[in-house]
Every structure is written in C-alpha cells, then in structure tokens.
Amino acid sequence: MVKEWFTEILNLTLTSGGAKMLVFSKAKLVVLSVPKTGTTAIEEALAPHAAMSVLDPPDLKHAPVYRYNRFFRPMIEKFLGEVEIVAVMREPISWLGSWFRYRQRPFLDGRPVSTKNMDFNAFVEGYLSDPQPAYADVGSQAHFLEARPNGTSVSRIFRYEAFDEFVDFLEARLEMQIDLSRRNVSPPAPLALSPALETRLRHTNAADFELWEGLH
C-alpha cells in the first residue's frame, strides 16, 4: 500500500527519534515539519496513524515546500490526488530563541554548532552575518514555507502561539482525539535583544515577520 511503497522507494529510516513530515491518505493531508515549532509531540502522537512518516534523513524529514514539491509531491499526487498541506510557524524572534536554547544542550559541547557560553545577542549577530557561522545557520521560516512557481504551497499555516487551534484542526480532520505530552524542551536562557539588533533583524528578515504577522 501507500506506506510500504514510499518506504521502499525512499529507503527511509523510521525508527529513530525526532520531528517528521506526516502524510495522511484518508484525510488527504500533509503536515510539514518546520523545525523548532513545537510539533514533535504532535508527530509522536500521530505517526502511527499516518500513511507515511518521514524521519530520516534530516533534509527530508524537515522538507521545506521546495523540497516537498521536488521529491514528494509527484508521488503523493499520483496515489492520493490533491492534498492539503499544513504547517506551524513561530514568532521569528521566539523561533531563533528556540534554536539558541537548543544548541546550548550538553550533547553539542565542543561542536561548531554549540551556543554554550554565548548570549542571545551574539547568536543573532551570527545569524545576520554573511556567511553565517555554523551555530547560527538555521535557515528561515519564510524560505521554508515559500510557495513554488508551479503553485505548490502551504494551504494553511497555524501560529505556534495558538497551538490549540492546530490541534483542534487535526482532531477534526483526522476524526480522532490527540493526547499530547511535552517533548524536545530546551533549557531556559535569557532572550532579550538590544533594540538596535532587533531593528536590524526585523529589516533583514522582513519576510519572516510579515508572514507571521499576517497569520490569522
């Protein structure tokens, strides 16, 4: 069936932990996994009910719209027809803060991506640099969710800050109750930005702020 066919063709590993892209054949629904948007608990709860759950490699499990369009859309539409694509987006400064906190975890100590002994201002300075240092190379939510020239796009984006609306949508669409537990919670850390740095960030990453502010 669909699940077995995708697994064979893509030779994906479906047994390790982490966020993933989910495909629901009956509901004709695809849930894209935007990193650091709190969807790990959702994915752990729903993976057993999905026709396909992409866990590895990271470039596929966190497939942006452009990668979904190239690698997954032709196969999914061949078997399921037109599907609805949904995702969650987080307020951009909070999103960067989540990356910053995550990369302070001890298992990253000594690696180029570690933010240990760094403050949030230094992290954002790195994020705004060109080229970005490894610890700040985290991409952009707006780029992740950017529509493709052929019309492939996310049908609906939910705010992380109103996560209950996302859960309500999934429960109605999948006709099931979703029981969540917190997963992948990063250690606390101060996330205050200097006014000048915040202004630079809002200007340089205007697309992210405009997209998030336009969500309803």
Side-chain angles (χ1 to χ4, degrees):
M1 301 303 291
V2 174
K3 181 175 181 179
E4 289 74 21
W5 187 86
F6 275 116
T7 303
E8 179 180 353
I9 294 296
L10 297 176
N11 192 26
L12 300 173
T13 302
L14 303 177
T15 56
S16 57
K20 58 188 74 70
M21 185 184 82
L22 301 175
V23 179
F24 300 93
S25 55
K26 181 180 177 181
K28 294 186 179 294
L29 182 69
V30 174
V31 180
L32 295 187
S33 175
V34 181
K36 317 315 294 176
T37 58
T39 54
T40 299
I42 283 283
E43 291 145 1
E44 289 184 357
L46 295 183
H49 306 280
M52 171 180 161
S53 56
V54 181
L55 184 58
D56 276 317
D59 283 350
L60 290 182
K61 75 176 182 179
H62 289 303
V65 172
Y66 67 84
R67 193 168 288 131
Y68 168 85
N69 180 59
R70 180 178 179 185
F71 294 106
F72 293 102
R73 180 191 55 78
M75 295 182 290
I76 289 173
E77 291 186 355
K78 176 180 175 64
F79 284 87
L80 303 183
E82 186 176 351
V83 297
E84 184 175 6
I85 304 170
V86 299
V88 175
M89 182 181 186
R90 190 168 185 162
E91 191 280 325
I93 296 176
S94 173
W95 183 74
L96 288 175
S98 183
W99 273 113
F100 169 69
R101 293 193 306 270
Y102 176 78
R103 292 186 166 183
Q104 289 189 329
R105 291 184 173 189
F107 78 93
L108 294 175
D109 286 358
R111 300 185 186 183
V113 296
S114 175
T115 57
K116 187 175 183 178
N117 299 322
M118 181 185 301
D119 68 21
F120 188 46
N121 281 268
F123 175 79
V124 174
E125 286 279 6
Y127 183 71
L128 294 174
S129 299
D130 186 14
Q132 293 172 325
Y135 62 78
D137 185 5
V138 298
S140 157
Q141 293 181 97
H143 181 58
F144 189 106
L145 297 167
E146 185 178 11
R148 307 311 301 153
N150 68 352
T152 301
S153 63
V154 178
S155 310
R156 184 171 179 183
I157 302 172
F158 293 84
R159 283 192 178 201
Y160 168 86
E161 294 74 14
F163 204 79
D164 57 332
E165 295 180 7
F166 180 51
V167 175
D168 289 345
F169 168 83
L170 291 175
E171 288 186 331
R173 188 64 174 270
L174 301 177
E175 300 179 339
M176 62 177 290
Q177 183 176 349
I178 301 174
D179 296 317
L180 299 181
S181 57
R182 297 190 74 192
R183 291 288 188 273
N184 204 24
V185 179
S186 299
L191 297 179
L193 284 180
S194 71
L197 188 56
E198 181 174 339
T199 298
R200 282 179 55 203
L201 177 63
R202 289 181 177 275
H203 175 74
T204 303
N205 285 64
D208 289 86
F209 287 94
E210 290 172 3
L211 180 58
W212 183 80
E213 290 165 1
L215 300 179
H216 301 287

